[in-house]
Amino acid sequence: MEISGYILIVILGTSIVTFIPRVVPLMLLSKMQIPEWGIDWLKHVPDDVIGF
């Protein structure tokens, strides 16, 4: 089975678009000190919304 260049570009593009919103916030938040009120607020967010 042969994969055309267009299909390969679409697969790579969608994987990058999916990867960026998951990794960028993780990278930014890992370097920040979240205030206590922010941690308390995050305790009310369901796990399935975050993706864990």
Side-chain angles (χ1 to χ4, degrees):
M1 182 167 82
E2 185 178 329
I3 298 177
S4 69
Y6 176 75
I7 298 296
L8 185 60
I9 289 172
V10 168
I11 291 172
L12 291 174
T14 54
S15 62
I16 290 170
V17 167
T18 302
F19 181 75
I20 288 174
R22 294 175 187 228
V23 172
V24 170
L26 180 63
M27 289 174 25
L28 293 176
L29 289 175
S30 67
K31 297 182 189 279
M32 292 175 55
Q33 182 69 21
I34 301 174
E36 189 65 35
W37 61 266
I39 294 173
D40 289 339
W41 180 80
L42 286 173
K43 290 179 183 175
H44 298 287
V45 177
D47 292 341
D48 60 339
V49 173
I50 297 173
F52 296 119

PDB file of all heavy atoms in Angstrom, residues 3-38:
ATOM      1  N   ILE A   3       1.407   5.351   0.406  1.00  0.00           N
ATOM      2  CA  ILE A   3       0.855   6.542   1.039  1.00  0.00           C
ATOM      3  C   ILE A   3       1.267   7.749   0.208  1.00  0.00           C
ATOM      4  O   ILE A   3       2.457   7.963  -0.035  1.00  0.00           O
ATOM      5  CB  ILE A   3       1.366   6.693   2.483  1.00  0.00           C
ATOM      6  CG1 ILE A   3       0.936   5.513   3.333  1.00  0.00           C
ATOM      7  CG2 ILE A   3       0.879   7.994   3.096  1.00  0.00           C
ATOM      8  CD1 ILE A   3       1.472   5.558   4.745  1.00  0.00           C
ATOM      9  N   SER A   4       0.294   8.509  -0.224  1.00  0.00           N
ATOM     10  CA  SER A   4       0.627   9.695  -1.019  1.00  0.00           C
ATOM     11  C   SER A   4       1.211  10.778  -0.113  1.00  0.00           C
ATOM     12  O   SER A   4       1.033  10.774   1.103  1.00  0.00           O
ATOM     13  CB  SER A   4      -0.627  10.219  -1.727  1.00  0.00           C
ATOM     14  OG  SER A   4      -1.537  10.759  -0.799  1.00  0.00           O
ATOM     15  N   GLY A   5       1.910  11.694  -0.708  1.00  0.00           N
ATOM     16  CA  GLY A   5       2.532  12.775   0.041  1.00  0.00           C
ATOM     17  C   GLY A   5       1.516  13.634   0.762  1.00  0.00           C
ATOM     18  O   GLY A   5       1.750  14.106   1.877  1.00  0.00           O
ATOM     19  N   TYR A   6       0.363  13.838   0.132  1.00  0.00           N
ATOM     20  CA  TYR A   6      -0.684  14.643   0.746  1.00  0.00           C
ATOM     21  C   TYR A   6      -1.186  13.997   2.037  1.00  0.00           C
ATOM     22  O   TYR A   6      -1.335  14.678   3.061  1.00  0.00           O
ATOM     23  CB  TYR A   6      -1.845  14.826  -0.233  1.00  0.00           C
ATOM     24  CG  TYR A   6      -3.018  15.562   0.361  1.00  0.00           C
ATOM     25  CD1 TYR A   6      -2.963  16.935   0.565  1.00  0.00           C
ATOM     26  CD2 TYR A   6      -4.172  14.879   0.723  1.00  0.00           C
ATOM     27  CE1 TYR A   6      -4.026  17.616   1.120  1.00  0.00           C
ATOM     28  CE2 TYR A   6      -5.234  15.547   1.277  1.00  0.00           C
ATOM     29  CZ  TYR A   6      -5.168  16.913   1.473  1.00  0.00           C
ATOM     30  OH  TYR A   6      -6.219  17.577   2.023  1.00  0.00           O
ATOM     31  N   ILE A   7      -1.426  12.697   2.014  1.00  0.00           N
ATOM     32  CA  ILE A   7      -1.917  11.993   3.201  1.00  0.00           C
ATOM     33  C   ILE A   7      -0.869  12.033   4.304  1.00  0.00           C
ATOM     34  O   ILE A   7      -1.189  12.242   5.480  1.00  0.00           O
ATOM     35  CB  ILE A   7      -2.287  10.532   2.862  1.00  0.00           C
ATOM     36  CG1 ILE A   7      -3.413  10.487   1.835  1.00  0.00           C
ATOM     37  CG2 ILE A   7      -2.654   9.762   4.108  1.00  0.00           C
ATOM     38  CD1 ILE A   7      -4.719  11.072   2.318  1.00  0.00           C
ATOM     39  N   LEU A   8       0.387  11.867   3.961  1.00  0.00           N
ATOM     40  CA  LEU A   8       1.461  11.915   4.951  1.00  0.00           C
ATOM     41  C   LEU A   8       1.540  13.301   5.599  1.00  0.00           C
ATOM     42  O   LEU A   8       1.679  13.415   6.820  1.00  0.00           O
ATOM     43  CB  LEU A   8       2.794  11.558   4.299  1.00  0.00           C
ATOM     44  CG  LEU A   8       3.981  11.442   5.230  1.00  0.00           C
ATOM     45  CD1 LEU A   8       3.742  10.360   6.270  1.00  0.00           C
ATOM     46  CD2 LEU A   8       5.231  11.145   4.435  1.00  0.00           C
ATOM     47  N   ILE A   9       1.406  14.351   4.818  1.00  0.00           N
ATOM     48  CA  ILE A   9       1.433  15.715   5.350  1.00  0.00           C
ATOM     49  C   ILE A   9       0.232  15.957   6.267  1.00  0.00           C
ATOM     50  O   ILE A   9       0.362  16.574   7.327  1.00  0.00           O
ATOM     51  CB  ILE A   9       1.474  16.749   4.202  1.00  0.00           C
ATOM     52  CG1 ILE A   9       2.836  16.699   3.523  1.00  0.00           C
ATOM     53  CG2 ILE A   9       1.175  18.154   4.702  1.00  0.00           C
ATOM     54  CD1 ILE A   9       2.936  17.521   2.273  1.00  0.00           C
ATOM     55  N   VAL A  10      -0.939  15.441   5.897  1.00  0.00           N
ATOM     56  CA  VAL A  10      -2.134  15.606   6.730  1.00  0.00           C
ATOM     57  C   VAL A  10      -1.950  14.881   8.057  1.00  0.00           C
ATOM     58  O   VAL A  10      -2.272  15.416   9.121  1.00  0.00           O
ATOM     59  CB  VAL A  10      -3.391  15.093   5.996  1.00  0.00           C
ATOM     60  CG1 VAL A  10      -4.577  14.992   6.941  1.00  0.00           C
ATOM     61  CG2 VAL A  10      -3.724  16.000   4.827  1.00  0.00           C
ATOM     62  N   ILE A  11      -1.409  13.666   8.035  1.00  0.00           N
ATOM     63  CA  ILE A  11      -1.188  12.906   9.268  1.00  0.00           C
ATOM     64  C   ILE A  11      -0.175  13.628  10.160  1.00  0.00           C
ATOM     65  O   ILE A  11      -0.385  13.774  11.365  1.00  0.00           O
ATOM     66  CB  ILE A  11      -0.736  11.475   8.945  1.00  0.00           C
ATOM     67  CG1 ILE A  11      -1.884  10.705   8.308  1.00  0.00           C
ATOM     68  CG2 ILE A  11      -0.247  10.764  10.201  1.00  0.00           C
ATOM     69  CD1 ILE A  11      -1.505   9.345   7.776  1.00  0.00           C
ATOM     70  N   LEU A  12       0.924  14.076   9.600  1.00  0.00           N
ATOM     71  CA  LEU A  12       1.924  14.800  10.385  1.00  0.00           C
ATOM     72  C   LEU A  12       1.376  16.126  10.923  1.00  0.00           C
ATOM     73  O   LEU A  12       1.626  16.489  12.073  1.00  0.00           O
ATOM     74  CB  LEU A  12       3.174  15.057   9.543  1.00  0.00           C
ATOM     75  CG  LEU A  12       4.005  13.828   9.197  1.00  0.00           C
ATOM     76  CD1 LEU A  12       5.123  14.200   8.237  1.00  0.00           C
ATOM     77  CD2 LEU A  12       4.552  13.182  10.440  1.00  0.00           C
ATOM     78  N   GLY A  13       0.614  16.830  10.107  1.00  0.00           N
ATOM     79  CA  GLY A  13       0.037  18.103  10.538  1.00  0.00           C
ATOM     80  C   GLY A  13      -0.942  17.934  11.684  1.00  0.00           C
ATOM     81  O   GLY A  13      -0.909  18.684  12.658  1.00  0.00           O
ATOM     82  N   THR A  14      -1.809  16.939  11.584  1.00  0.00           N
ATOM     83  CA  THR A  14      -2.770  16.727  12.665  1.00  0.00           C
ATOM     84  C   THR A  14      -2.094  16.250  13.942  1.00  0.00           C
ATOM     85  O   THR A  14      -2.527  16.590  15.042  1.00  0.00           O
ATOM     86  CB  THR A  14      -3.858  15.721  12.254  1.00  0.00           C
ATOM     87  OG1 THR A  14      -3.238  14.503  11.807  1.00  0.00           O
ATOM     88  CG2 THR A  14      -4.723  16.284  11.153  1.00  0.00           C
ATOM     89  N   SER A  15      -1.023  15.488  13.806  1.00  0.00           N
ATOM     90  CA  SER A  15      -0.315  15.048  15.017  1.00  0.00           C
ATOM     91  C   SER A  15       0.384  16.229  15.695  1.00  0.00           C
ATOM     92  O   SER A  15       0.391  16.321  16.925  1.00  0.00           O
ATOM     93  CB  SER A  15       0.686  13.939  14.690  1.00  0.00           C
ATOM     94  OG  SER A  15       1.671  14.401  13.808  1.00  0.00           O
ATOM     95  N   ILE A  16       0.923  17.147  14.926  1.00  0.00           N
ATOM     96  CA  ILE A  16       1.563  18.339  15.505  1.00  0.00           C
ATOM     97  C   ILE A  16       0.524  19.227  16.167  1.00  0.00           C
ATOM     98  O   ILE A  16       0.728  19.721  17.280  1.00  0.00           O
ATOM     99  CB  ILE A  16       2.352  19.109  14.418  1.00  0.00           C
ATOM    100  CG1 ILE A  16       3.577  18.304  14.004  1.00  0.00           C
ATOM    101  CG2 ILE A  16       2.749  20.496  14.903  1.00  0.00           C
ATOM    102  CD1 ILE A  16       4.287  18.848  12.795  1.00  0.00           C
ATOM    103  N   VAL A  17      -0.626  19.422  15.506  1.00  0.00           N
ATOM    104  CA  VAL A  17      -1.688  20.261  16.059  1.00  0.00           C
ATOM    105  C   VAL A  17      -2.248  19.640  17.346  1.00  0.00           C
ATOM    106  O   VAL A  17      -2.651  20.351  18.252  1.00  0.00           O
ATOM    107  CB  VAL A  17      -2.801  20.472  15.011  1.00  0.00           C
ATOM    108  CG1 VAL A  17      -4.053  21.062  15.617  1.00  0.00           C
ATOM    109  CG2 VAL A  17      -2.291  21.357  13.885  1.00  0.00           C
ATOM    110  N   THR A  18      -2.251  18.333  17.446  1.00  0.00           N
ATOM    111  CA  THR A  18      -2.717  17.665  18.662  1.00  0.00           C
ATOM    112  C   THR A  18      -1.655  17.731  19.750  1.00  0.00           C
ATOM    113  O   THR A  18      -1.976  17.885  20.934  1.00  0.00           O
ATOM    114  CB  THR A  18      -3.048  16.191  18.359  1.00  0.00           C
ATOM    115  OG1 THR A  18      -4.044  16.151  17.331  1.00  0.00           O
ATOM    116  CG2 THR A  18      -3.570  15.484  19.592  1.00  0.00           C
ATOM    117  N   PHE A  19      -0.405  17.648  19.389  1.00  0.00           N
ATOM    118  CA  PHE A  19       0.701  17.602  20.339  1.00  0.00           C
ATOM    119  C   PHE A  19       0.933  18.951  21.022  1.00  0.00           C
ATOM    120  O   PHE A  19       1.133  19.021  22.230  1.00  0.00           O
ATOM    121  CB  PHE A  19       1.961  17.154  19.597  1.00  0.00           C
ATOM    122  CG  PHE A  19       3.183  17.031  20.445  1.00  0.00           C
ATOM    123  CD1 PHE A  19       3.329  15.965  21.311  1.00  0.00           C
ATOM    124  CD2 PHE A  19       4.185  17.979  20.375  1.00  0.00           C
ATOM    125  CE1 PHE A  19       4.461  15.845  22.094  1.00  0.00           C
ATOM    126  CE2 PHE A  19       5.315  17.872  21.153  1.00  0.00           C
ATOM    127  CZ  PHE A  19       5.460  16.793  22.009  1.00  0.00           C
ATOM    128  N   ILE A  20       0.875  20.030  20.260  1.00  0.00           N
ATOM    129  CA  ILE A  20       1.215  21.365  20.777  1.00  0.00           C
ATOM    130  C   ILE A  20       0.313  21.797  21.942  1.00  0.00           C
ATOM    131  O   ILE A  20       0.828  22.233  22.966  1.00  0.00           O
ATOM    132  CB  ILE A  20       1.224  22.402  19.633  1.00  0.00           C
ATOM    133  CG1 ILE A  20       2.441  22.156  18.756  1.00  0.00           C
ATOM    134  CG2 ILE A  20       1.232  23.824  20.165  1.00  0.00           C
ATOM    135  CD1 ILE A  20       2.496  23.010  17.519  1.00  0.00           C
ATOM    136  N   PRO A  21      -1.028  21.708  21.843  1.00  0.00           N
ATOM    137  CA  PRO A  21      -1.840  22.168  22.979  1.00  0.00           C
ATOM    138  C   PRO A  21      -1.676  21.314  24.240  1.00  0.00           C
ATOM    139  O   PRO A  21      -2.038  21.734  25.328  1.00  0.00           O
ATOM    140  CB  PRO A  21      -3.280  22.072  22.478  1.00  0.00           C
ATOM    141  CG  PRO A  21      -3.199  21.908  21.029  1.00  0.00           C
ATOM    142  CD  PRO A  21      -1.856  21.377  20.700  1.00  0.00           C
ATOM    143  N   ARG A  22      -1.140  20.114  24.104  1.00  0.00           N
ATOM    144  CA  ARG A  22      -0.930  19.276  25.275  1.00  0.00           C
ATOM    145  C   ARG A  22       0.419  19.536  25.932  1.00  0.00           C
ATOM    146  O   ARG A  22       0.545  19.458  27.146  1.00  0.00           O
ATOM    147  CB  ARG A  22      -1.025  17.805  24.890  1.00  0.00           C
ATOM    148  CG  ARG A  22      -2.408  17.425  24.443  1.00  0.00           C
ATOM    149  CD  ARG A  22      -2.442  16.012  23.949  1.00  0.00           C
ATOM    150  NE  ARG A  22      -3.736  15.730  23.368  1.00  0.00           N
ATOM    151  CZ  ARG A  22      -4.445  14.661  23.658  1.00  0.00           C
ATOM    152  NH1 ARG A  22      -3.992  13.779  24.503  1.00  0.00           N
ATOM    153  NH2 ARG A  22      -5.609  14.477  23.093  1.00  0.00           N
ATOM    154  N   VAL A  23       1.425  19.846  25.147  1.00  0.00           N
ATOM    155  CA  VAL A  23       2.777  19.982  25.684  1.00  0.00           C
ATOM    156  C   VAL A  23       3.093  21.409  26.124  1.00  0.00           C
ATOM    157  O   VAL A  23       3.724  21.601  27.161  1.00  0.00           O
ATOM    158  CB  VAL A  23       3.803  19.498  24.630  1.00  0.00           C
ATOM    159  CG1 VAL A  23       5.211  19.799  25.065  1.00  0.00           C
ATOM    160  CG2 VAL A  23       3.630  18.005  24.398  1.00  0.00           C
ATOM    161  N   VAL A  24       2.658  22.404  25.382  1.00  0.00           N
ATOM    162  CA  VAL A  24       3.005  23.789  25.702  1.00  0.00           C
ATOM    163  C   VAL A  24       2.497  24.204  27.086  1.00  0.00           C
ATOM    164  O   VAL A  24       3.274  24.747  27.877  1.00  0.00           O
ATOM    165  CB  VAL A  24       2.522  24.752  24.594  1.00  0.00           C
ATOM    166  CG1 VAL A  24       2.663  26.198  25.018  1.00  0.00           C
ATOM    167  CG2 VAL A  24       3.296  24.492  23.311  1.00  0.00           C
ATOM    168  N   PRO A  25       1.227  23.952  27.448  1.00  0.00           N
ATOM    169  CA  PRO A  25       0.812  24.319  28.813  1.00  0.00           C
ATOM    170  C   PRO A  25       1.591  23.556  29.886  1.00  0.00           C
ATOM    171  O   PRO A  25       1.912  24.121  30.935  1.00  0.00           O
ATOM    172  CB  PRO A  25      -0.671  23.941  28.857  1.00  0.00           C
ATOM    173  CG  PRO A  25      -1.099  23.919  27.448  1.00  0.00           C
ATOM    174  CD  PRO A  25       0.094  23.487  26.659  1.00  0.00           C
ATOM    175  N   LEU A  26       1.907  22.307  29.616  1.00  0.00           N
ATOM    176  CA  LEU A  26       2.687  21.525  30.579  1.00  0.00           C
ATOM    177  C   LEU A  26       4.064  22.145  30.772  1.00  0.00           C
ATOM    178  O   LEU A  26       4.545  22.268  31.898  1.00  0.00           O
ATOM    179  CB  LEU A  26       2.805  20.082  30.105  1.00  0.00           C
ATOM    180  CG  LEU A  26       3.585  19.134  30.994  1.00  0.00           C
ATOM    181  CD1 LEU A  26       2.896  18.990  32.342  1.00  0.00           C
ATOM    182  CD2 LEU A  26       3.727  17.792  30.329  1.00  0.00           C
ATOM    183  N   MET A  27       4.698  22.555  29.695  1.00  0.00           N
ATOM    184  CA  MET A  27       6.021  23.169  29.795  1.00  0.00           C
ATOM    185  C   MET A  27       5.957  24.509  30.523  1.00  0.00           C
ATOM    186  O   MET A  27       6.812  24.814  31.350  1.00  0.00           O
ATOM    187  CB  MET A  27       6.618  23.358  28.401  1.00  0.00           C
ATOM    188  CG  MET A  27       7.031  22.073  27.744  1.00  0.00           C
ATOM    189  SD  MET A  27       7.582  22.188  26.028  1.00  0.00           S
ATOM    190  CE  MET A  27       8.145  23.816  25.812  1.00  0.00           C
ATOM    191  N   LEU A  28       4.936  25.305  30.228  1.00  0.00           N
ATOM    192  CA  LEU A  28       4.823  26.616  30.866  1.00  0.00           C
ATOM    193  C   LEU A  28       4.472  26.499  32.345  1.00  0.00           C
ATOM    194  O   LEU A  28       5.039  27.199  33.183  1.00  0.00           O
ATOM    195  CB  LEU A  28       3.774  27.463  30.142  1.00  0.00           C
ATOM    196  CG  LEU A  28       4.120  27.879  28.716  1.00  0.00           C
ATOM    197  CD1 LEU A  28       2.948  28.631  28.095  1.00  0.00           C
ATOM    198  CD2 LEU A  28       5.367  28.732  28.685  1.00  0.00           C
ATOM    199  N   LEU A  29       3.527  25.634  32.672  1.00  0.00           N
ATOM    200  CA  LEU A  29       3.099  25.502  34.064  1.00  0.00           C
ATOM    201  C   LEU A  29       4.142  24.818  34.932  1.00  0.00           C
ATOM    202  O   LEU A  29       4.170  25.028  36.143  1.00  0.00           O
ATOM    203  CB  LEU A  29       1.770  24.751  34.143  1.00  0.00           C
ATOM    204  CG  LEU A  29       0.557  25.520  33.642  1.00  0.00           C
ATOM    205  CD1 LEU A  29      -0.678  24.625  33.667  1.00  0.00           C
ATOM    206  CD2 LEU A  29       0.327  26.758  34.474  1.00  0.00           C
ATOM    207  N   SER A  30       4.996  23.990  34.350  1.00  0.00           N
ATOM    208  CA  SER A  30       6.002  23.307  35.157  1.00  0.00           C
ATOM    209  C   SER A  30       7.075  24.282  35.661  1.00  0.00           C
ATOM    210  O   SER A  30       7.721  24.014  36.666  1.00  0.00           O
ATOM    211  CB  SER A  30       6.657  22.184  34.359  1.00  0.00           C
ATOM    212  OG  SER A  30       7.419  22.702  33.295  1.00  0.00           O
ATOM    213  N   LYS A  31       7.229  25.408  35.002  1.00  0.00           N
ATOM    214  CA  LYS A  31       8.226  26.401  35.414  1.00  0.00           C
ATOM    215  C   LYS A  31       7.630  27.493  36.303  1.00  0.00           C
ATOM    216  O   LYS A  31       8.351  28.313  36.836  1.00  0.00           O
ATOM    217  CB  LYS A  31       8.869  27.030  34.191  1.00  0.00           C
ATOM    218  CG  LYS A  31       9.624  26.018  33.361  1.00  0.00           C
ATOM    219  CD  LYS A  31      10.282  26.665  32.182  1.00  0.00           C
ATOM    220  CE  LYS A  31      10.856  25.650  31.239  1.00  0.00           C
ATOM    221  NZ  LYS A  31      12.108  25.110  31.591  1.00  0.00           N
ATOM    222  N   MET A  32       6.300  27.484  36.458  1.00  0.00           N
ATOM    223  CA  MET A  32       5.633  28.524  37.247  1.00  0.00           C
ATOM    224  C   MET A  32       5.283  28.006  38.636  1.00  0.00           C
ATOM    225  O   MET A  32       5.062  26.815  38.819  1.00  0.00           O
ATOM    226  CB  MET A  32       4.336  28.954  36.553  1.00  0.00           C
ATOM    227  CG  MET A  32       4.535  29.691  35.259  1.00  0.00           C
ATOM    228  SD  MET A  32       2.993  30.061  34.419  1.00  0.00           S
ATOM    229  CE  MET A  32       2.089  30.917  35.668  1.00  0.00           C
ATOM    230  N   GLN A  33       5.228  28.909  39.563  1.00  0.00           N
ATOM    231  CA  GLN A  33       4.753  28.597  40.908  1.00  0.00           C
ATOM    232  C   GLN A  33       3.271  28.961  40.945  1.00  0.00           C
ATOM    233  O   GLN A  33       2.917  30.129  40.857  1.00  0.00           O
ATOM    234  CB  GLN A  33       5.535  29.389  41.956  1.00  0.00           C
ATOM    235  CG  GLN A  33       5.150  29.093  43.371  1.00  0.00           C
ATOM    236  CD  GLN A  33       5.563  27.690  43.794  1.00  0.00           C
ATOM    237  OE1 GLN A  33       6.446  27.081  43.194  1.00  0.00           O
ATOM    238  NE2 GLN A  33       4.926  27.188  44.818  1.00  0.00           N
ATOM    239  N   ILE A  34       2.406  27.970  41.042  1.00  0.00           N
ATOM    240  CA  ILE A  34       0.972  28.207  41.056  1.00  0.00           C
ATOM    241  C   ILE A  34       0.566  28.664  42.460  1.00  0.00           C
ATOM    242  O   ILE A  34       0.922  28.017  43.443  1.00  0.00           O
ATOM    243  CB  ILE A  34       0.205  26.930  40.652  1.00  0.00           C
ATOM    244  CG1 ILE A  34       0.618  26.484  39.256  1.00  0.00           C
ATOM    245  CG2 ILE A  34      -1.304  27.167  40.708  1.00  0.00           C
ATOM    246  CD1 ILE A  34       0.034  25.166  38.822  1.00  0.00           C
ATOM    247  N   PRO A  35      -0.184  29.774  42.557  1.00  0.00           N
ATOM    248  CA  PRO A  35      -0.598  30.243  43.879  1.00  0.00           C
ATOM    249  C   PRO A  35      -1.562  29.256  44.543  1.00  0.00           C
ATOM    250  O   PRO A  35      -2.171  28.417  43.880  1.00  0.00           O
ATOM    251  CB  PRO A  35      -1.288  31.578  43.598  1.00  0.00           C
ATOM    252  CG  PRO A  35      -1.520  31.634  42.149  1.00  0.00           C
ATOM    253  CD  PRO A  35      -0.621  30.652  41.481  1.00  0.00           C
ATOM    254  N   GLU A  36      -1.701  29.386  45.840  1.00  0.00           N
ATOM    255  CA  GLU A  36      -2.531  28.457  46.616  1.00  0.00           C
ATOM    256  C   GLU A  36      -3.979  28.461  46.130  1.00  0.00           C
ATOM    257  O   GLU A  36      -4.610  27.411  46.043  1.00  0.00           O
ATOM    258  CB  GLU A  36      -2.469  28.831  48.100  1.00  0.00           C
ATOM    259  CG  GLU A  36      -3.105  27.823  49.010  1.00  0.00           C
ATOM    260  CD  GLU A  36      -2.388  26.482  48.998  1.00  0.00           C
ATOM    261  OE1 GLU A  36      -1.159  26.453  48.873  1.00  0.00           O
ATOM    262  OE2 GLU A  36      -3.085  25.453  49.121  1.00  0.00           O
ATOM    263  N   TRP A  37      -4.518  29.648  45.782  1.00  0.00           N
ATOM    264  CA  TRP A  37      -5.902  29.696  45.303  1.00  0.00           C
ATOM    265  C   TRP A  37      -6.055  28.969  43.971  1.00  0.00           C
ATOM    266  O   TRP A  37      -7.098  28.400  43.682  1.00  0.00           O
ATOM    267  CB  TRP A  37      -6.403  31.133  45.196  1.00  0.00           C
ATOM    268  CG  TRP A  37      -5.623  31.988  44.225  1.00  0.00           C
ATOM    269  CD1 TRP A  37      -4.583  32.798  44.520  1.00  0.00           C
ATOM    270  CD2 TRP A  37      -5.815  32.085  42.817  1.00  0.00           C
ATOM    271  NE1 TRP A  37      -4.109  33.406  43.383  1.00  0.00           N
ATOM    272  CE2 TRP A  37      -4.850  32.987  42.321  1.00  0.00           C
ATOM    273  CE3 TRP A  37      -6.699  31.519  41.919  1.00  0.00           C
ATOM    274  CZ2 TRP A  37      -4.759  33.309  40.974  1.00  0.00           C
ATOM    275  CZ3 TRP A  37      -6.599  31.845  40.574  1.00  0.00           C
ATOM    276  CH2 TRP A  37      -5.646  32.731  40.120  1.00  0.00           C
ATOM    277  N   GLY A  38      -4.999  28.972  43.159  1.00  0.00           N
ATOM    278  CA  GLY A  38      -5.041  28.254  41.886  1.00  0.00           C
ATOM    279  C   GLY A  38      -5.045  26.749  42.081  1.00  0.00           C
ATOM    280  O   GLY A  38      -5.743  26.017  41.380  1.00  0.00           O
TER     281      GLY A  38
END
